[in-house]
Amino acid sequence: MELLIRPATEADLEELRELEQGLIRDERPFDPTIRPDPVHYYDLPALIHDPESLLLVGVSDGRIVSTGYASKRTPRPYLDHDVYAYFGFMYTRPEYRGRGLNGRIIQELRQWARERGLEEVRLTVYTGNAPAIRAYEKAGFAPHIVEMRLPGRG
């Protein structure tokens, strides 16, 4: 399977919104606090045009099959780094999973981050999302912190 990885453009917005909904559907079982539809995670046009971010798409047979972005972020003031790269919208269509596409997107985003001096890289993943955790560990990520919640509703 040929995969072209390239920066997202405004022309990709319809497909990106479709993939965003796929990500939300996949994550909804892990998070009872996600609002009912319609809901969006990302301001996609802003990500496309932000000079401090890179939104990539993986294209196969003229169709976007994988996504991911990196953004330059400022950490909490007590941490030992001044800036870091945050990776998000890491999503691959279900029928294309298991082919290393996520890893290829991560490699490209990591290169973008390195070119900007962003050695620290972080992302978030639901603790119950074992397939995603395995994919990130395969790419070199390690668990770092667990966010806990005390449900406010019965």
Side-chain angles (χ1 to χ4, degrees):
M1 177 191 78
E2 289 292 319
L3 182 74
L4 167 69
I5 298 175
R6 62 167 174 77
T9 68
E10 290 266 344
D12 299 323
L13 284 172
E14 184 176 334
E15 271 188 286
L16 287 168
R17 287 185 179 114
E18 174 191 338
L19 292 170
E20 178 188 33
Q21 293 309 303
L23 176 61
I24 292 166
R25 274 190 307 276
D26 285 358
E27 290 186 344
R28 200 174 285 284
F30 302 113
D31 190 344
T33 67
I34 297 174
R35 295 178 190 267
D37 288 333
V39 65
H40 296 279
Y41 283 175
Y42 310 108
D43 181 344
L44 294 168
L47 272 175
I48 289 169
H49 295 292
D50 179 5
E52 301 288 351
S53 298
L54 176 64
L55 174 55
L56 292 178
V57 294
V59 180
S60 180
D61 296 320
R63 180 179 187 212
I64 297 174
V65 298
S66 193
T67 64
Y69 79 81
S71 285
K72 181 179 177 181
R73 301 261 175 106
T74 303
R76 287 171 245 134
Y78 54 81
L79 296 178
D80 70 357
H81 48 282
D82 296 323
V83 293
Y84 69 99
Y86 179 82
F87 288 7
F89 197 7
M90 306 302 301
Y91 184 74
T92 299
R93 291 182 188 272
E95 64 270 27
Y96 288 87
R97 292 179 186 162
R99 300 180 191 188
L101 305 184
N102 186 56
R104 291 193 49 204
I105 295 277
I106 288 173
Q107 284 178 338
E108 296 278 338
L109 293 175
R110 186 71 180 112
Q111 181 60 36
W112 177 89
R114 277 192 201 104
E115 290 169 0
R116 283 150 186 80
L118 306 172
E119 293 301 319
E120 180 77 17
V121 177
R122 296 182 180 223
L123 56 74
T124 57
V125 60
Y126 288 105
T127 55
N129 193 345
I133 291 169
R134 281 192 302 274
Y136 296 136
E137 287 175 339
K138 187 176 177 182
F141 286 88
H144 176 66
I145 191 169
V146 175
E147 179 176 313
M148 309 273 298
R149 68 180 280 267
L150 183 61
R153 297 175 238 172

